[in-house]
Amino acid sequence: VLALLRTNALAVFPWTLSSSGAVLIGTGLYVWVSGVNRNTSPYFYLALLGALFLALGPYLRDYLQHHSPRRARLEACLIPLFCASMVALLLLPFGYYFLFFWELMALLGFVLICLEEIEGGKLEAGSGKPESNDVEVPIPATLTLRASTLLGARWFFLASRFSGAGLLLAFILALRDNRALPEWLNTLVWIGLLIGFGTKAALFPFSLWLPRSHPVAISPLSALLSAGMTKLGLYGLFRAPDWMGRPPSWVDWTLIVLGLIGAVYALVRGLSEQDYKGVLAYSSIENLNLLLVMLGAYWLTGQPLFLLAFFYHQLAHALFKGTLFMASGVLPSQSLGQLGGVWAKAPFTAGVSLVAAVAAAGLPPLAGFMGEWYLVLGLLKTGSILTLAVGVLGLVGALALVLYVRSFGLVFLGAPRSEGVADTAEATPGMRLGLFSLVGQLVLLALLPAQVLSGFGSVLTYPVVPISIAMVLLGFGLWRWLRRWPKRLYNTWDGGYGLLEPRMQPSGLGYSELALRLFPGFALKHTLKPRDLLEELHGTISNGYVWLAGKFQGLQSGSIHLYLMLQFVALLIVLGVAFL
Amino acid sequence: MTALFLLLLAPLFTGSLKWLKARLQHRQGPIVFIDYLNLGKLLRKIYVLPQLASPVFILGPLLSALGPLLAAALLPILPSLSFAGDFLLVVGLLNLGRFSRALAALDTGSPFGGQGSYREGFVALLTEPGTLLALTAVALTSKNFSLATLPNPSAQTSIAIILAVAALALALLAEGARVPIDDPSTHLELTMIHEAQLLDHSGPLLALYELASALKLLVYVALIALLLPFNTLLSFFLVALIAWLGLAYLETYSMRIKYSRLPDLMIYNTAAGALALLGMVLRVKL
């Protein structure tokens, strides 16, 4: 942690970040593998974050070259601080300092997203054309519209406030931990925890902020947010029974039911999303909601397979989603309607994304499949009405498959849909190193599930190594054989007209239209327009919050009497709760 | 073992199906070994590589053949590898084949490929839940959730097995791209699902695709056969015979239904799967 905090120079910090990442992986995995109990679970998350930091170091070093020096320096300081606040959070028990770092993490995340906005705003002010030092920027950063960034940052901020408020509620109520809480207070505490941690972990109705705010951040930051920060919400929920006692069973059912609904909802919305990083963010919601289902099912039944699923899938999700988000950093645009054929320009990035997309679609033998395998087996072992959730998992699996075929296919394959694609630059060596380390870890994770989970004792796995070997050997043989085959280069078959245009390829919405017809809530008029009541509700709430915040600004007038009065009232509330 | 067995048998199954269909339509028909000859012909040809193509173009047919092949290797028709939860891996490997095929279809920038790709995804959405539910219901009857330890039907399990067979039979039609979901002999690009994805693949790539689709059909036949209470090899041939006659009948006397009506048909797949699982969970006796 100290090593992270001490750094403040652009030249040093990537290496510090990487090396501290490596240290975190080493220590984290060592402790985690040596035995799983309530005290070692933070080490699992340390290892998870370490894996991300390790890749982020070299990636950032090259990525920040494209930013103006001032901004790059600022980011070089803030990103390690953000990382450090996440690490500090894991080392602390639930309490005042935990809340402090929780808020610090949210605040730093917000500031980092806002940096994008400031830069984007400058761009717009500069007569719509990039300044000279920004011209050759191959990253989406400067193309982002100011308005959407502002909106994204606002969503992020509001979600953080929501989450912080929930935690504070739980914290205040649980101050009196020496006595058992009455039933209704315990309910309130768990509501607070569900809102507090659930918002960060994208629990279903509180998940809309994620696809709004993660895509507008710079790619490495969205990787860090989506793959790293959201996991801390899961960590909080996982540890909550240690701090607050056994959750009541309505919490378990809430997690399971909302998680299943949320996973389907996120994928359906993801299919109607036109922004590549937005699609990835929706897929994050799906994975996080499945993880919440695993946790809820574990609490409900005590079946250890759910716990295996919970931990394994978190690691898998962090790695493949980190890869996908970081790889999206080379794209010239984020709109599915303007991309296509990026493979020809950036083969390494595309290949890495393909591996991650196969994992993210939950296909064997890569890591994304294992979590779902454990989950279904766990559901089978319970043999109760809960087993019917398998049907929903089937739907989720199919939807995820379509989602990733769509997003990968439209971005990396086919013909370019706009001229901007021609300017795509392949990832620089540092970025490649970062991406490679993530994919390497993803493959290792897929091949060594028993070793990663060995803290649980000898765990059930399917014979992943023989199957992978068979697949790689056969695949490689066939590949060589087909590459050597005599072939002829020719145009794509165009029905004999010779008029094939990129526009004839399916567009982002055209691709998913047929599938979206299956689900309610999509008005198919001239364009496909999702009508989302949930989103409108969120809008109302956030407007209300801003209005309320405006009213409360009157309190911050600097009047010492008012402050003293406020403190007195706060003290009264705390005492009231404690003596109730 | 099973993989090799099914691989060798697959072209015979589809080839003889063509023959039977022709006979039912009072045509002369090809010889029953036509698909071996077809494969041989394709393997003597060069293939056309579209200029837009990336390595996914070749990976598509490759993985799409490897997925069902490895899935077949897990089916205990003949002695094979089996473990807890192997049926999930079978479904996963079949999905891997589907994923790579749908991606490769997008790779050429062809509008037809794109159409085939999203239609395939649409069919997947309709088929997947029912198939998984049905297999889960059957797995609940076995000792360690493996396909190798399925017990003989009893009063407790027969309801799940009957419904699961119904669900899997519908899934076979959808996954094998057969009438009434898709027409394997169509030549009109606008109406194709499976074939639209293969339009730009030729020579050995097309051979792999053809082999994969025939193999997938037999994998589903084998899955249904595993549920039946006879000797597995015997029931495999029995189910293959029934599927052979049934498919030829369907393709002669019925027609493709339009896409917007597909959910009306496939809802029976989902419903049968859900009922099978519900019956197992609630311990309904027949």
Side-chain angles (χ1 to χ4, degrees):
Chain A
V1 184
L2 278 179
L4 279 177
L5 284 171
R6 206 173 50 225
T7 54
N8 51 6
L10 189 54
V12 204
F13 102 91
W15 305 119
T16 332
L17 198 58
S18 296
S19 51
S20 54
V23 171
L24 284 179
I25 296 177
T27 50
L29 270 188
Y30 177 74
V31 178
W32 166 250
V33 162
S34 65
V36 176
N37 56 48
R38 50 164 47 178
N39 293 325
T40 53
S41 63
Y43 289 92
F44 169 81
Y45 290 88
L46 285 182
L48 184 149
L49 289 178
L52 288 174
F53 297 167
L54 181 70
L56 212 55
Y59 184 93
L60 269 178
R61 194 183 67 98
D62 284 9
Y63 190 91
L64 292 183
Q65 312 267 316
H66 302 299
H67 290 179
S68 64
R70 224 178 101 233
R71 180 177 172 201
R73 266 201 306 280
L74 199 58
E75 274 170 342
C77 298
L78 285 181
I79 289 180
L81 265 180
F82 180 62
C83 296
S85 67
M86 288 201 279
V87 170
L89 199 61
L90 288 172
L91 298 175
L92 291 166
F94 190 68
Y96 177 73
Y97 287 106
F98 184 91
L99 287 186
F100 174 76
F101 278 108
W102 186 264
E103 293 298 330
L104 184 68
M105 176 180 83
L107 193 67
L108 285 170
F110 173 68
V111 169
L112 278 166
I113 296 179
C114 276
L115 278 182
E116 184 72 35
E117 192 265 317
I118 294 163
E119 193 93 332
K122 211 165 60 185
L123 190 74
E124 212 173 39
S127 75
K129 277 282 171 193
E131 310 256 326
S132 58
N133 62 336
D134 287 334
V135 168
E136 68 279 8
V137 178
I139 45 173
T142 48
L143 298 176
T144 325
L145 285 175
R146 183 164 185 259
S148 73
T149 322
L150 200 60
L151 198 66
R154 179 170 139 179
W155 277 97
F156 185 85
F157 185 72
L158 288 177
S160 313
R161 296 307 334 114
F162 208 54
S163 154
L167 282 193
L168 197 64
L169 176 69
F171 175 62
I172 292 178
L173 293 177
L175 273 180
R176 18 172 299 153
D177 53 355
N178 46 353
R179 275 173 293 156
L181 292 173
E183 186 69 22
W184 67 275
L185 258 183
N186 198 28
T187 308
L188 262 185
V189 166
W190 275 96
I191 289 178
L193 286 172
L194 274 186
I195 291 177
F197 291 128
T199 307
K200 273 279 184 285
L203 181 61
F204 164 51
F206 315 124
S207 53
L208 267 183
W209 61 277
L210 210 130
R212 298 287 169 286
S213 59
H214 288 193
V216 300
I218 56 171
S219 292
L221 184 64
S222 16
L224 207 51
L225 291 174
S226 227
M229 192 192 71
T230 50
K231 300 293 180 303
L232 296 183
L234 294 173
Y235 162 75
L237 272 182
F238 176 72
R239 285 299 298 275
D242 298 347
W243 302 323
M244 305 291 173
R246 173 99 191 67
S249 69
W250 65 263
V251 173
D252 312 340
W253 281 106
T254 308
L255 286 182
I256 293 172
V257 172
L258 286 184
L260 287 174
I261 297 174
V264 175
Y265 168 83
L267 287 171
V268 172
R269 283 307 312 278
L271 278 177
S272 66
E273 175 68 46
Q274 293 271 42
D275 182 292
Y276 180 54
K277 278 164 86 176
V279 174
L280 296 183
Y282 274 117
S283 154
S284 284
I285 301 183
E286 173 244 338
N287 282 292
L288 289 163
N289 275 289
L290 281 188
L291 285 164
L292 289 169
V293 171
M294 293 164 189
L295 186 62
Y298 171 68
W299 281 346
L300 191 67
T301 61
Q303 170 61 247
L305 278 174
F306 290 127
L307 205 58
L308 294 183
F310 179 67
F311 281 109
Y312 189 85
H313 197 61
Q314 279 184 86
L315 212 46
H317 176 248
L319 292 172
F320 66 65
K321 199 47 65 69
T323 313
L324 284 169
F325 265 121
M326 282 198 200
S328 76
V330 305
L331 300 178
S333 151
Q334 296 298 341
S335 164
L336 291 183
Q338 296 181 0
L339 291 165
V342 177
W343 189 301
K345 299 288 170 195
F348 179 84
T349 316
V352 163
S353 297
L354 178 60
V355 176
V358 172
L363 298 171
L366 282 169
F369 176 70
M370 198 74 169
E372 283 172 38
W373 189 75
Y374 278 135
L375 180 55
V376 175
L377 274 192
L379 288 173
L380 268 171
K381 286 217 165 146
T382 48
S384 67
I385 201 79
L386 203 60
T387 317
L388 278 175
V390 170
V392 183
L393 292 180
L395 183 62
V396 165
L399 276 170
L401 185 129
V402 178
L403 184 91
Y404 277 101
V405 170
R406 171 178 178 260
S407 64
F408 184 84
L410 295 190
V411 171
F412 291 100
L413 305 179
R417 289 180 179 73
S418 73
E419 299 187 349
V421 176
D423 308 330
T424 313
E426 173 64 296
T428 51
M431 290 159 91
R432 282 194 221 182
L433 189 64
L435 286 171
F436 183 76
S437 89
L438 273 185
V439 166
Q441 293 176 70
L442 185 63
V443 171
L444 277 183
L445 179 71
L447 290 180
L448 308 170
Q451 282 73 7
V452 173
L453 295 172
S454 60
F456 289 97
S458 69
V459 295
L460 184 72
T461 60
Y462 72 89
V464 58
V465 175
I467 287 170
S468 309
I469 289 178
M471 187 170 269
V472 168
L473 281 183
L474 282 173
F476 192 69
L478 271 175
W479 173 261
R480 290 289 299 276
W481 182 65
L482 287 172
R483 292 299 284 200
R484 287 214 204 120
W485 203 274
K487 52 182 165 289
R488 185 161 61 98
L489 266 180
Y490 196 65
N491 297 334
T492 300
W493 190 67
D494 49 15
Y497 282 101
L499 291 170
L500 204 62
E501 282 181 41
R503 247 167 23 112
M504 292 174 179
Q505 301 175 92
S507 66
L509 281 179
Y511 193 89
S512 38
E513 186 242 328
L514 198 58
L516 287 179
R517 277 176 191 271
L518 291 174
F519 299 92
F522 288 94
L524 294 164
K525 295 259 170 60
H526 299 293
T527 57
L528 188 76
K529 206 164 168 54
R531 178 177 155 77
D532 199 332
L533 290 177
L534 196 65
E535 202 162 322
E536 289 166 16
L537 185 68
H538 274 250
T540 317
I541 290 175
S542 74
N543 284 338
Y545 177 86
V546 172
W547 177 80
L548 206 63
K551 293 285 163 204
F552 270 95
Q553 249 172 4
L555 290 180
Q556 302 169 340
S557 59
S559 156
I560 197 93
H561 300 92
L562 207 53
Y563 289 173
L564 282 175
M565 171 81 174
L566 275 179
Q567 286 197 354
F568 182 64
V569 172
L571 191 68
L572 274 188
I573 291 175
V574 170
L575 285 178
V577 168
F579 285 104
L580 210 63
Chain B
M1 281 288 276
T2 319
L4 210 60
F5 172 64
L6 293 188
L7 189 67
L8 291 178
L9 213 59
L12 178 64
F13 185 78
T14 50
S16 58
L17 194 59
K18 280 176 191 159
W19 170 81
L20 181 64
K21 209 168 114 184
R23 296 304 299 163
L24 279 175
Q25 295 165 350
H26 302 292
R27 288 189 285 120
Q28 178 101 48
I31 58 165
V32 291
F33 299 108
I34 180 71
D35 277 355
Y36 295 104
L37 300 180
N38 265 339
L39 288 177
K41 180 185 75 183
L42 289 173
L43 288 178
R44 280 197 303 275
K45 295 194 168 199
I46 66 168
Y47 66 89
V48 175
L49 189 68
Q51 271 148 2
L52 285 171
S54 71
V56 174
F57 186 75
I58 295 178
L59 269 180
L62 198 159
L63 283 179
S64 139
L66 272 186
L69 188 69
L70 288 177
L74 298 174
L75 297 174
I77 297 288
L78 299 171
S80 72
L81 191 65
S82 73
F83 45 89
D86 48 4
F87 69 99
L88 289 171
L89 198 61
V90 170
V91 174
L93 285 166
L94 290 177
N95 272 336
L96 180 69
R98 188 207 303 279
F99 181 85
S100 52
R101 189 171 58 243
L103 260 190
L106 282 174
D107 192 29
T108 57
S110 149
F112 300 126
Q115 277 178 342
S117 174
Y118 62 70
R119 284 173 186 163
E120 175 88 25
F122 179 63
V123 174
L125 284 183
L126 296 174
T127 324
E128 195 72 12
T131 312
L132 202 58
L133 279 168
L135 286 175
T136 311
V138 175
L140 263 183
T141 67
S142 73
K143 273 202 294 294
N144 61 346
F145 312 130
S146 159
L147 289 170
T149 56
L150 294 179
N152 282 333
S154 63
Q156 296 229 324
T157 61
S158 51
I159 187 159
I161 290 177
I162 292 170
L163 285 167
V165 167
L168 286 177
L170 268 172
L172 180 140
L173 292 179
E175 298 278 340
R178 292 283 154 175
V179 172
I181 284 101
D182 187 11
D183 190 349
S185 57
T186 182
H187 289 288
L188 187 60
E189 297 91 334
L190 288 174
T191 61
M192 299 192 283
I193 301 179
H194 179 258
E195 302 295 314
Q197 300 173 80
L198 322 183
L199 275 177
D200 277 298
H201 289 81
S202 49
L205 303 178
L206 186 59
L208 279 179
Y209 267 148
E210 298 282 350
L211 204 55
S213 97
L215 192 58
K216 202 161 72 166
L217 211 56
L218 281 194
V219 166
Y220 272 89
V221 167
L223 273 177
I224 296 174
L226 284 173
L227 309 188
L228 299 185
F230 317 113
N231 173 297
T232 46
L233 207 56
L234 181 70
S235 58
F236 173 75
F237 283 116
L238 192 68
V239 174
L241 183 69
I242 295 171
W244 187 65
L245 293 172
L247 285 174
Y249 178 84
L250 270 179
E251 279 170 32
T252 308
Y253 293 105
S254 75
M255 57 183 96
R256 249 196 72 235
I257 55 178
K258 60 179 184 176
Y259 298 117
S260 54
R261 292 295 301 280
L262 273 187
D264 302 353
L265 175 67
M266 295 314 288
I267 191 77
Y268 292 107
N269 173 36
T270 317
L275 286 178
L277 189 52
L278 205 61
M280 276 313 291
V281 170
L282 299 180
R283 296 188 176 74
V284 178
K285 283 185 191 168
L286 205 65

